[in-house]
Amino acid sequence: MKVMVIGSSGMLGSEIMKLLGSTCIGYDLPDFDITNFDCVAAAVNAAKPDVILNTSGITDVDYCEKNPAAAEKVHHAGVNNLTATGIRIITVSTDQVFTRAAEKRYLLESDSTEPANIYAASKLRGEVAALECPGNTVVRTSWLFGKTGLLPWIIRKLLVDGVVTAVTDQTSCLTSVESLAEILAGMATDRDRTGLFHCVNKGAVTPYELACRVRNMIGTGTVKGTEWAQLALPAPRPVWSALGTERDIKLPPLEEVIELCLQRML
């Protein structure tokens, strides 16, 4: 089976490329533009993939808030371009399609959505476009990290600067890029893995709680708290978007990925 990976130079795309090796072919900017159908069609005709795995996206939510047309082109129109090829697609979406929960519980695939910002609204429209075609797959995830991301940032701030300021009023889940890449690579070769999936390392935390946990584990540094309103950024953030799942795919728990990240960085 041949897999076409869109966003192949990004953190997630490059990890999938390593896992799949010669069975995949990668496409990314500047040579590949998901918003241009002719470009997409030409790439598909050349690669002749069995499945397209889309990891591309504008991850800067504040940029999306100020540039809604760009977010729409990449996250919605871009997915439409992929579905128009007739090839099965797997596309990655976000926890930020949720804003809050009446009860502090893990949010499931069947729960109703409420996009927190323009980024999330454009991602949700992309989800709808993908799932309108039978056989396609949407994977929601959150706070993805590898060598970069929230968790490595917290660790570096505590070790190097001795202090980190972290948000107290947003709760979500971390996702290890290695964990997610393994799941996506498996989905690419399993045509029964269709529909909507939530894939995170289970364990609901705020960035502040995560920083406190890391500080206690490494025994150094100071953690200060702040709220999103104090940062005065363009895009609103979810208050609660911790993902759970009704599907049969499980990733390692939060504690395990924190330990592994610490071992590598220390």
Side-chain angles (χ1 to χ4, degrees), residues 237-254:
R237 266 63 170 183
V239 176
W240 182 279
S241 60
L243 300 180
T245 184
E246 298 159 309
R247 309 298 297 263
D248 61 348
I249 288 181
K250 300 292 189 294
L251 280 70
L254 173 65

Side-chain angles (χ1 to χ4, degrees), residues 113-129:
T113 54
E114 180 189 5
N117 44 47
I118 286 171
Y119 163 78
S122 66
K123 278 287 199 178
L124 185 58
R125 285 189 286 272
E127 290 186 14
V128 173

Side-chain angles (χ1 to χ4, degrees), residues 190-222:
D190 187 348
R191 292 188 177 275
D192 293 330
R193 294 295 188 189
T194 64
L196 179 61
F197 291 82
H198 288 177
C199 293
V200 297
N201 296 111
K202 188 175 181 180
V205 289
T206 66
Y208 178 82
E209 291 166 345
L210 178 63
C212 289
R213 189 176 300 188
V214 171
R215 178 202 57 199
N216 292 340
M217 293 172 75
I218 65 177
T220 187
T222 301

Side-chain angles (χ1 to χ4, degrees), residues 111-164:
D111 282 315
S112 58
T113 54
E114 180 189 5
N117 44 47
I118 286 171
Y119 163 78
S122 66
K123 278 287 199 178
L124 185 58
R125 285 189 286 272
E127 290 186 14
V128 173
L131 295 177
E132 283 178 345
C133 300
N136 287 343
T137 306
V138 170
V139 175
R140 290 177 183 152
T141 192
S142 58
W143 289 351
L144 188 67
F145 77 92
K147 293 181 180 178
T148 60
L150 178 62
L151 180 56
W153 176 78
I154 286 172
I155 295 170
R156 290 190 187 98
K157 292 290 285 185
L158 289 171
L159 290 174
V160 177
D161 298 341
V163 61
V164 64

Side-chain angles (χ1 to χ4, degrees), residues 218-237:
I218 65 177
T220 187
T222 301
V223 179
K224 297 181 179 179
T226 189
E227 296 182 352
W228 278 116
Q230 294 176 276
L231 302 178
L233 296 173
R237 266 63 170 183

